[in-house]
């Protein structure tokens, strides 16, 4: 009786029959997506820790924002798409905003909070279609691919494979450094698992690399495995408390870039996953507003708790590939994140050599967007190329955006395709000139 009632409740909420799926398949898909993305629990504290944030607090904020986002995605939009803090955003936060621009993490978090409110407004006010359609598809693809290269570059450095050089800026790291071999091991193992399409490859690769590190004593043993959930006190509400810092115009540029990354990453990923799952109708994604709302609400929650913007995760494609079609998949992901919150002591064993292969491989997944860019037209190829290489080579996602947005109207104009340039692209052209001034010229004065 009881289980029948549960069944009809699940059917009523998630419409499994209509989606031609079963509870068993959805649970399996949820577990697959979870193991594909569970690394973020350890990678996010590692990256944001480099910006000076408390790793334990970031761990909890990461889990809670993933739980919130994935539950909202399940119940608001009924999609098998999981949400968690994105690697693109956290890398931009730490390496570009905090370390390169010298902005304290507390102030940068105020920027994340402000952009999350703007994202929420765009989603609620139905401006989203106008915004999504305003940026040309080739540039959106280039943005995703550039973020992929940027993340991979961060991973190559963190893992010791690429180091600084006085004469050539970068060079290959020394193979005599023992910890670099952990990165190489992780990269080979994870790469082989990915190529064999093993579900949860990234997670398994991370576990095997950590075990090798523990055996070889390159990674110290953890004191315990399970513990109570770390407090969020060091990060909770800090972004809100620092909102007055936003008076600094340099931060407006940061807010805009967070907004662009968060919005276009999620919108692009949602559409890509919807195409994979066969959800698209007349080239549009049904309920995209609800899906964006799920992400923007969890982004607001994450910014309050102490983590960088959440994003619809590309790794959801693993669960979709094995048949996940409804929000039940996302609900399973959030339940798994809730259980994982008790494993925070493992934070100490997941070192930068363990996370480096993850960054490189997620970079590869994101760089796949490049294949759909129309390289045959120079007026497209130039802004797209500059967007892609601009991000890793300037070590800053916003410069990549700027190069693409500044060159696109110029080359399209010269190619006689000015009718295709949307008014918003002209507005962004001027905004990005101001942005370059505020993040590059102004600080140097
Ligand atoms: N779409 C997307 N998926 C991710 N998976 C891990 N990080 C990211 C990210 O930044 N964006």
């Amino acid at each position: 009786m009881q289980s029948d009632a549960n069944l009809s409740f699940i059917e009523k909420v998630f419409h499994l029959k209509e989606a031609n799926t079963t509870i068993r398949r959805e649970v399996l898909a949820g577990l697959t997506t979870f193991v594909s993305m569970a690394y973020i629990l350890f990678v996010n504290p590692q990256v944001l820790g480099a910006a000076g944030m408390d790793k334990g607090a970031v761990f909890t904020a990461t889990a809670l924002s993933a739980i919130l986002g994935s539950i909202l995605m399940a119940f608001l939009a009924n999609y098998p798409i999981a949400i968690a803090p994105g690697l693109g955003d956290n890398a931009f936060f730490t390496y570009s905003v905090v370390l390169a621009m010298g902005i304290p993490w507390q102030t940068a978090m105020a920027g994340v909070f402000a952009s999350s409110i703007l994202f929420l407004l765009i989603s609620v006010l139905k401006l989203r279609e106008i915004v999504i359609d305003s940026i040309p598809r080739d540039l959106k693809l280039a943005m995703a691919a550039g973020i992929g290269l940027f993340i991979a570059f961060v991973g190559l450095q963190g893992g010791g494979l690429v180091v600084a050089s006085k004469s050539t800026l970068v060079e290959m790291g020394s193979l005599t450094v023992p910890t670099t071999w952990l990165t190489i091991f992780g990269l080979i193992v994870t790469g082989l698992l990915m190529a064999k399409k093993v579900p949860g490859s990234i997670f398994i690769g991370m576990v095997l690399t950590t075990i090798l590190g523990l055996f070889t004593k390159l990674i110290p043993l953890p004191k315990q495995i399970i513990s109570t959930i770390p407090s969020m006190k060091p990060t909770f509400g800090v972004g809100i408390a620092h909102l007055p810092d936003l008076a600094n115009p340099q931060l407006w540029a940061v807010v805009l870039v967070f907004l662009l990354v968060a919005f276009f990453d999620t919108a692009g990923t949602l559409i890509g996953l919807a195409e994979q799952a066969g959800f698209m109708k007349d080239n549009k994604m049904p309920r995209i507003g609800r899906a964006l709302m799920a992400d923007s609400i969890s982004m607001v929650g994450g910014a309050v708790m102490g983590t960088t913007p959440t994003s619809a995760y590309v790794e959801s494609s693993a669960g979709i590939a094995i048949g996940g079609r409804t929000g039940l998949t996302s609900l399973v992901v959030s339940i798994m994140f809730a259980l994982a919150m008790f494993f925070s002591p493992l934070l100490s064993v997941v070192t930068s050599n363990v996370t480096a292969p993850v960054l490189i491989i997620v970079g590869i997944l994101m760089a796949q967007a490049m294949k759909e860019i129309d390289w045959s037209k120079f007026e497209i190829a130039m802004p797209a190329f500059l967007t892609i290489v601009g991000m890793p080579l300037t070590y800053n996602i916003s410069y990549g955006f700027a190069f693409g947005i500044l060159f696109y109207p110029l080359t399209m104009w010269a190619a006689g395709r000015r009718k295709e340039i949307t008014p918003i692209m002209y507005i962004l052209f001027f905004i990005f000139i101001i942005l370059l001034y505020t993040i590059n010229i102004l600080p140097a004065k």
Side-chain angles (χ1 to χ4, degrees):
M1 254 325 261
Q2 177 66 28
S3 95
D4 276 2
N6 284 346
L7 273 182
S8 70
F9 172 76
I10 291 175
E11 176 57 40
K12 217 183 272 165
V13 175
F14 297 115
H15 309 290
L16 303 185
K17 278 203 195 98
E18 197 184 310
N20 209 0
T21 181
T22 59
I23 293 184
R24 196 185 118 83
R25 198 181 305 158
E26 294 292 304
V27 171
L28 219 64
L31 293 176
T32 307
T33 296
F34 172 75
V35 292
S36 305
M37 64 189 288
Y39 66 81
I40 196 62
L41 280 171
F42 302 100
V43 181
N44 207 32
Q46 171 99 32
V47 174
L48 298 187
M53 296 181 69
D54 180 89
K55 284 189 182 174
V58 173
F59 174 89
T60 306
T62 303
L64 286 177
S65 60
I67 293 169
L68 176 65
S70 304
I71 282 189
L72 288 171
M73 185 63 85
F75 290 105
L76 272 181
N78 193 20
Y79 278 132
I81 298 175
I83 287 179
L87 283 177
D89 291 281
N90 67 12
F92 174 65
F93 180 95
T94 294
Y95 302 107
S96 307
V97 180
V98 176
L99 298 181
M101 290 167 76
I103 291 172
W105 70 261
Q106 295 87 342
T107 306
M109 202 46 86
V112 173
F113 180 75
S115 55
S116 71
I117 299 292
L118 292 175
F119 187 176
L120 186 60
L121 285 178
I122 291 176
S123 308
V124 176
L125 296 179
K126 303 202 173 17
L127 282 170
R128 57 187 177 259
E129 268 85 12
I130 302 173
V131 178
I132 289 177
D133 294 340
S134 65
I135 303 231
R137 181 175 147 81
D138 294 288
L139 270 195
K140 279 188 275 207
L141 292 165
M143 288 171 183
I147 293 174
L149 290 200
F150 178 66
I151 294 171
F153 191 37
V154 170
L156 287 166
Q157 287 188 46
L161 284 170
V162 170
V163 295
S165 156
K166 277 218 176 80
S167 50
T168 57
L169 293 181
V170 282
E171 62 185 11
M172 179 149 168
S174 168
L175 294 178
T176 59
V177 178
T179 48
T180 301
W181 282 97
L182 279 184
T183 308
I184 297 171
F185 172 82
L187 200 54
I188 293 174
V189 169
T190 318
L192 294 179
L193 291 168
M194 292 288 291
K196 276 179 83 67
K197 296 196 173 56
V198 173
S201 305
I202 296 185
F203 188 73
I204 300 170
M206 240 176 78
V207 172
L208 293 178
T209 312
T210 306
I211 291 174
L212 177 69
L214 293 172
F215 263 108
T216 52
K217 299 212 164 58
L218 290 170
I219 298 175
L221 277 173
K223 292 195 183 68
Q224 59 201 99
I225 292 177
I226 297 178
S227 83
T228 52
I229 299 167
S231 160
M232 287 195 295
K233 198 154 177 265
T235 57
F236 194 89
V238 170
I240 296 181
H242 281 259
L243 278 177
D245 297 357
L246 294 182
N248 171 358
Q250 226 190 337
L251 275 162
W252 304 348
V254 170
V255 170
L256 180 68
V257 174
F258 271 127
L259 179 63
L260 287 177
V261 176
F263 188 84
F264 287 112
D265 185 344
T266 285
T269 306
L270 286 175
I271 291 169
L273 293 171
E275 271 174 10
Q276 181 196 356
F279 295 143
M280 298 294 279
K281 291 211 170 76
D282 303 325
N283 221 12
K284 289 221 178 313
M285 180 178 180
R287 309 188 297 283
I288 191 168
R290 285 164 170 255
L292 286 171
M293 202 114 78
D295 185 33
S296 53
I297 296 172
S298 62
M299 180 169 160
V300 175
V304 173
M305 293 184 284
T307 179
T308 41
T310 51
S311 182
Y313 253 48
V314 284
E315 287 83 354
S316 310
S317 75
I320 292 173
I322 66 156
R325 287 294 179 274
T326 73
L328 184 53
T329 296
S330 318
L331 181 62
V332 171
V333 173
S334 50
I335 293 170
M336 292 306 294
F337 267 109
L339 296 176
M341 288 178 81
F342 296 96
F343 290 89
S344 67
L346 295 181
L347 270 172
S348 67
V349 297
V350 183
T351 63
S352 63
N353 300 96
V354 178
T355 56
V358 178
L359 294 167
I360 298 166
I361 282 171
V362 174
I364 296 170
L365 297 180
M366 296 185 77
Q368 285 172 355
M370 254 187 270
K371 69 176 187 282
E372 286 174 49
I373 295 171
D374 185 2
W375 294 107
S376 66
K377 305 277 186 315
F378 189 81
E379 63 274 22
I380 299 286
M382 184 172 183
F385 182 81
L386 292 177
T387 304
I388 294 168
V389 298
M391 294 189 192
L393 297 186
T394 63
Y395 222 71
N396 195 322
I397 289 175
S398 37
Y399 285 130
F401 273 161
F403 298 162
I405 283 168
L406 293 178
F407 270 90
Y408 180 83
L410 302 179
T411 52
M412 288 294 277
W413 187 281
R417 294 174 64 179
R418 82 193 71 143
K419 283 209 186 90
E420 293 171 55
I421 309 170
T422 57
I424 289 196
M425 283 306 286
Y426 286 115
I427 298 172
L428 283 176
F429 181 86
F430 289 105
I431 289 182
F432 270 83
I433 290 180
I434 301 170
L435 189 143
L436 276 186
Y437 176 77
T438 46
I439 65 175
N440 186 292
I441 299 171
L442 201 59
K445 280 191 173 164

